[in-house]
């Protein structure tokens, strides 16, 4: 399974290949793929499994799940739970994973308007007060996905600009 390969480049290429397949066939296969991804995410680490491989598998699965969610109807209730998983995945210290997750979030944002204020608060807190650089960078990607998905007016609407001005 390529998403657990010890080589960073191989993992990135495998996730990219999976995303390309989902872009091509996700519309017709979304309902079949999502339970598979849920199953992978709900499976605990195998006894003796390398912790890094377990994390890589979860990261790759979350990105593929987010790519699949783009093919769901905007009113599908699964989108909110998928968005929660994507938000959690932003704390992954891998830049390519964070970028891929943010790209998955953009088209899902209109379906999550009711939660946007909560997301903005969570992301701003992580971006400004996160424990490490990876967390802060992931939150910044999340804020950019929120703004790109909801429009430039969301900067003011959710207090993003005022929070950034105060932080500066």
């Amino acid at each position: 399974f390529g998403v657990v390969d010890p080589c960073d480049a191989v993992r990135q290429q495998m996730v990219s290949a999976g995303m390309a397949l989902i872009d091509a066939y996700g519309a017709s296969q979304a309902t079949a793929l999502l339970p598979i991804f849920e199953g992978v995410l709900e499976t605990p680490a195998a006894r003796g499994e390398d912790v890094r491989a377990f994390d890589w598998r979860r990261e790759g699965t979350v990105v593929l799940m987010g790519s699949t969610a783009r093919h769901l109807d905007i009113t599908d209730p699964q989108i909110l739970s998928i968005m929660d998983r994507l938000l959690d995945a932003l704390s992954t210290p891998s830049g390519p994973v964070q970028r891929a997750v943010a790209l998955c979030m953009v088209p899902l944002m209109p379906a999550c308007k009711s939660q946007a204020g909560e997301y903005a608060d969570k992301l701003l807190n992580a971006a400004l007060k996160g424990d490490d650089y990876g967390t802060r960078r992931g939150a910044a990607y999340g804020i950019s996905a929120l703004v790109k998905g909801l429009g430039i007016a969301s900067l003011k609407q959710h207090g993003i600009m005022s929070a950034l001005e105060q932080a500066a």
Side-chain angles (χ1 to χ4, degrees):
F1 195 51
V3 297
V4 297
D5 194 277
C7 177
D8 248 358
V10 172
R11 284 195 313 276
Q12 290 172 19
Q13 288 299 316
M14 290 303 294
V15 171
S16 294
M19 289 174 66
L21 284 169
I22 289 169
D23 285 345
Y25 303 105
S28 63
Q29 300 298 319
T31 56
L33 290 171
L34 287 173
I36 295 168
F37 295 143
E38 285 289 340
V40 170
L41 293 173
E42 291 172 4
T43 302
R47 188 174 190 167
E49 180 178 17
D50 180 16
V51 173
R52 291 178 308 166
F54 177 73
D55 289 343
W56 293 331
R57 183 175 61 241
R58 291 182 62 79
E59 291 166 13
T61 302
V62 167
V63 170
L64 295 175
M65 178 184 267
S67 294
T68 303
R70 293 186 294 187
H71 297 284
L72 295 175
D73 183 72
I74 196 166
T75 61
D76 194 311
Q78 293 181 87
I79 291 177
L80 290 176
S81 66
I82 293 169
M83 183 63 81
D84 288 338
R85 289 194 188 263
L86 292 172
L87 287 166
D88 289 341
L90 285 172
S91 63
T92 303
S94 166
V97 170
Q98 291 171 335
R99 281 190 295 278
V101 168
L103 287 173
C104 293
M105 290 172 60
V106 172
L108 301 180
M109 278 298 167
C112 302
K113 280 184 183 176
S114 64
Q115 302 290 341
E118 180 183 322
Y119 294 160
D121 291 344
K122 179 180 178 180
L123 291 166
L124 280 167
N125 187 50
L128 299 174
K129 300 175 186 169
D131 292 334
D132 55 55
Y133 173 73
T135 299
R136 292 189 303 271
R137 181 185 58 204
Y141 275 118
I143 292 168
S144 70
L146 186 143
V147 172
K148 189 170 183 181
L150 297 177
I152 196 80
S154 63
L155 285 170
K156 184 172 182 173
Q157 185 179 20
H158 298 293
I160 296 170
M161 280 306 293
S162 61
L164 292 176
E165 287 172 352
Q166 286 176 356

